[in-house]
């Protein structure tokens, strides 16, 4: 944690997405921004000086949705839908030791910091239940790397195979027996572990804090969804779930609940200002209004939605309804590179391909705002993160204006969203502490991290070999079953899919 005074001198500062780019000096006191003044006016005694000549300073980008457990499996699958990814879950991201959990979280933190992202909402899975030690190891990994995080244990009390109505019955007997043996832990066990973790959380909540993530409503009993909401309320924590991510989920909800997923959650009483819906692709107009009426948020992950063929979230319609929106990358096992610059670009492009009415497309200033202040709100850091302003935490990304991405500089905001790819990130400051300099991470030994990652994937290949072979036998059956559902019309008016495209 930084103490004392730091003067960042000579940079061009973009205070927020709608501000002009202006030359200014920034005084940082401890963890916070104390003052921003025209060049030369601030003359503090005994301040550390950081020269920002030829640097563009922007607020740190904030990733509204990722999965720390996916970082050792970047690039592992190709033509996987969400359901095929879930089928592969037991072999692609199952760890046992706290060291492996810490390692995989560190990998993500390093990658995000190097690409200009200073905080994230991490839905992290542990088997069979979350553990106070495992969650603390993940939180410490972020804090030690110098990144902020909301760590939300991702939980289910029903397996994927039991969650999709009809899937169990469609499996051949031997495979059905095998998946029946994969029992999930009970909701009570999950909640008891979460309560213990919330009570004993050892890290400053502004650096890393806990939230709760019953992963997918279909994978969780109603009592468990409600119990998690009550626990989140009791500890003033966030509540995050994957909502209407795929058509399979939307159709399965009608079968299981007789309503849409969002309506079901509204009836359970779990929607509220601390509620974040990840993806929210397959929502109807009433669902969107329900989210808005409850003050809820959406973590918009357009890269993952395209990679998994889930559809395109109607971001404009959500903004018009008053839903809070942040932008996320999703996990490295389904969008590979945790690059928030890429996530912004895809968010922009995804809004363009929805139709020719360009006034409905997201403007680049809107996209940048979503990836900074919007995501800050989703993480529960509204008014503290997402801007370079006095009183805000000093999370600042220094971009090298001499990098080819900025030669020439025509329009700061358009180029941040459409041109920059993370390559020009020179320095990254989090809470007044420099954690990246010269494009290199200062807080972690990358060579040692690489050795540990390589050893971990070898060890995982051994310990998860049986799970992999089972998943590979299941894949064609699960794939065929889900394609059957996806091929039928969805009877609810919705905005999720591009229906006019054909191969
Ligand atoms: Zn996710």
């Amino acid at each position: 944690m930084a103490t004392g005074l730091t003067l960042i001198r000579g940079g061009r500062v973009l205070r927020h997405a709608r501000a002009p780019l202006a030359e200014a000096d920034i005084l940082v006191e401890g963890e916070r921004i104390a003052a921003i003044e025209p060049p030369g006016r601030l003359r503090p005694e005994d301040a550390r000086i950081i020269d920002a000549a030829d640097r563009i300073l922007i607020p740190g980008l904030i990733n509204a949705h990722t999965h720390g457990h996916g970082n050792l499996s970047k690039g592992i699958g190709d033509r996987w839908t969400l359901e095929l990814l879930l089928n592969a879950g037991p072999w692609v991201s199952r760890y046992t030791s706290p060291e492996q959990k810490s390692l995989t979280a560190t990998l993500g933190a390093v990658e995000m910091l190097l690409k200009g992202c200073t905080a994230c909402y991490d839905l992290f899975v542990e088997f069979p239940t979350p553990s106070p030690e495992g969650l603390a190891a993940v939180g410490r990994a972020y804090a030690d790397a110098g990144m902020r995080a909301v760590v939300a244990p991702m939980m289910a009390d029903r397996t994927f195979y039991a969650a999709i109505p009809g899937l169990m019955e469609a499996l051949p007997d031997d495979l059905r027996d095998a998946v029946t043996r994969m029992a999930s832990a009970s909701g009570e066990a999950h909640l008891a572990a979460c309560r213990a973790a919330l009570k004993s959380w050892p890290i400053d909540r502004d650096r890393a804090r806990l939230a709760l993530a019953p992963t997918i409503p279909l994978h969780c009993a109603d009592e468990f969804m409600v119990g998690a909401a009550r626990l989140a309320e009791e500890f003033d924590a966030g509540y995050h779930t994957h909502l209407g991510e795929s058509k399979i989920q939307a159709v399965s909800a009608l079968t299981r609940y007789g309503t849409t997923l969002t309506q079901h959650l509204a009836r359970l009483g779990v929607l509220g200002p601390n509620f974040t819906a990840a993806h929210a692709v397959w929502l109807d107009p009433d669902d969107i209004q329900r989210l808005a009426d409850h003050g809820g948020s959406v973590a918009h992950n357009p890269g993952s939605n395209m990679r998994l063929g889930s559809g395109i979230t109607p971001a404009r319609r959500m903004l018009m309804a008053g839903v809070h929106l942040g932008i996320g990358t999703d996990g490295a096992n389904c969008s590979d590179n945790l690059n928030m610059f890429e996530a912004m670009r895809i968010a922009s492009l995804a809004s363009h391909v929805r139709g020719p009415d360009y006034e409905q497309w997201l403007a680049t200033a809107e996209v940048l705002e979503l990836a900074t202040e919007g995501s800050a709100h989703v993480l529960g850091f509204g008014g503290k993160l997402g801007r370079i302003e006095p009183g805000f935490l000093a999370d600042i990304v220094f971009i090298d204006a001499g990098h080819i991405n900025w030669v020439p500089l025509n329009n700061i905001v358009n180029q941040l969203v459409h041109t920059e790819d993370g390559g020009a990130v020179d320095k990254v400051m989090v809470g007044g502490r420099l954690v990246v300099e010269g494009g290199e991470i200062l807080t972690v030994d990358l060579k040692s991290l690489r050795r540990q990652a390589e050893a971990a994937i070898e060890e995982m290949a051994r310990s998860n070999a049986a799970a992999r072979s089972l998943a590979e036998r299941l894949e064609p059956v699960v794939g065929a079953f889900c394609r059957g559902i996806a091929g039928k019309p969805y009877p609810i008016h919705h905005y999720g899919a591009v229906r006019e495209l054909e191969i």
Side-chain angles (χ1 to χ4, degrees), residues 65 67 242 279 330:
H65 186 85
H67 297 284
H242 297 85
H279 304 280
D330 211 348

Side-chain angles (χ1 to χ4, degrees), residues 133-475:
E133 313 74 55
L135 293 167
V138 171
R140 267 198 209 95
Y142 280 108
D144 290 349
M147 187 168 172
R148 298 182 202 280
V150 178
V151 180
M154 188 172 94
M155 305 168 283
D157 63 356
R158 192 178 283 147
T159 66
F160 159 67
Y161 308 96
I164 308 295
L167 177 56
M168 275 291 198
E169 294 73 20
L171 298 177
D173 291 347
D174 58 330
L175 292 178
R176 188 182 319 115
D177 290 348
V179 301
T180 304
R181 286 193 292 273
M182 293 179 182
S184 292
S186 69
E188 293 81 36
H190 285 308
L191 293 179
C194 289
R195 177 177 289 282
L198 284 159
K199 273 187 167 171
S200 64
W201 187 244
I203 305 166
D204 175 358
R205 276 169 53 96
D206 268 358
R207 307 298 308 196
R209 64 176 67 163
L210 282 177
L212 298 177
T215 181
I216 297 169
L218 288 156
H219 296 219
C220 301
D222 290 349
E223 311 78 65
F224 175 36
M225 293 298 291
V226 172
R230 297 295 157 261
L231 191 60
E233 209 173 294
E234 186 183 334
F235 284 87
D236 190 24
Y239 185 90
H240 198 138
T241 192
H242 297 85
L243 186 68
E245 179 175 353
S246 70
K247 184 172 179 181
I248 309 301
Q249 290 180 0
V251 171
S252 299
L254 295 182
T255 310
R256 183 180 295 278
Y257 309 122
T259 67
T260 67
L261 281 161
T262 315
Q263 189 176 2
H264 180 65
L265 294 192
R267 284 182 183 167
L268 292 180
V270 305
L271 303 183
N274 68 338
F275 179 88
T276 300
H279 304 280
V281 178
W282 288 81
L283 268 54
D284 70 22
D286 294 338
D287 290 337
I288 291 172
Q289 201 53 54
R290 280 182 192 105
L291 275 183
D293 291 347
H294 286 90
S297 298
V298 164
H300 178 31
N301 310 305
S304 160
N305 294 338
M306 290 187 185
R307 167 87 141 78
L308 299 173
S310 302
I312 298 175
T313 300
R316 165 65 65 215
R317 198 161 283 276
M318 288 176 172
L319 290 172
M320 287 182 338
V323 176
H324 298 285
L325 232 61
I327 293 179
T329 59
D330 211 348
N333 54 14
C334 58
S335 66
D336 308 292
N337 62 15
L338 307 187
N339 188 335
M340 280 298 294
F341 286 104
E342 182 181 287
M344 288 197 293
R345 183 161 200 241
I346 300 178
S348 166
L349 302 183
S351 79
H352 291 215
V353 298
R354 292 193 65 88
D357 183 356
Y358 61 88
E359 292 189 350
Q360 300 303 320
W361 299 351
L362 297 184
T364 52
E366 290 181 292
V367 172
L368 181 61
E369 193 166 65
L370 297 183
T372 49
E373 293 175 76
S375 292
H377 179 91
V378 173
L379 267 67
F381 280 89
K384 285 182 165 184
L385 290 180
R387 284 184 176 228
I388 300 178
E389 295 284 10
F392 276 61
L393 290 161
D395 293 8
I396 301 171
V397 175
F398 296 55
I399 292 190
D400 178 359
H403 187 278
I404 193 67
N405 288 348
W406 296 93
V407 181
L409 169 56
N410 286 310
N411 180 300
I412 173 69
V413 175
N414 287 348
Q415 281 174 261
L416 281 170
V417 173
H418 283 152
T419 316
E420 181 52 48
D421 51 10
V425 172
D426 168 47
K427 291 185 184 62
V428 177
M429 173 181 277
V430 181
R433 173 191 184 198
L434 274 187
V435 293
V436 172
E437 189 160 19
E440 306 277 344
I441 189 86
L442 302 177
T443 49
V444 175
D445 177 351
L446 205 49
K447 281 191 184 138
S448 153
L449 192 68
R450 179 183 175 186
R451 278 195 300 277
Q452 292 171 55
E454 286 169 352
I457 60 167
E458 275 180 33
E459 144 69 15
M460 278 170 63
R462 275 193 301 274
S463 55
N464 295 340
R468 178 174 189 168
S469 118
L470 175 60
E472 285 174 353
R473 287 167 60 214
L474 282 158
E475 185 169 313

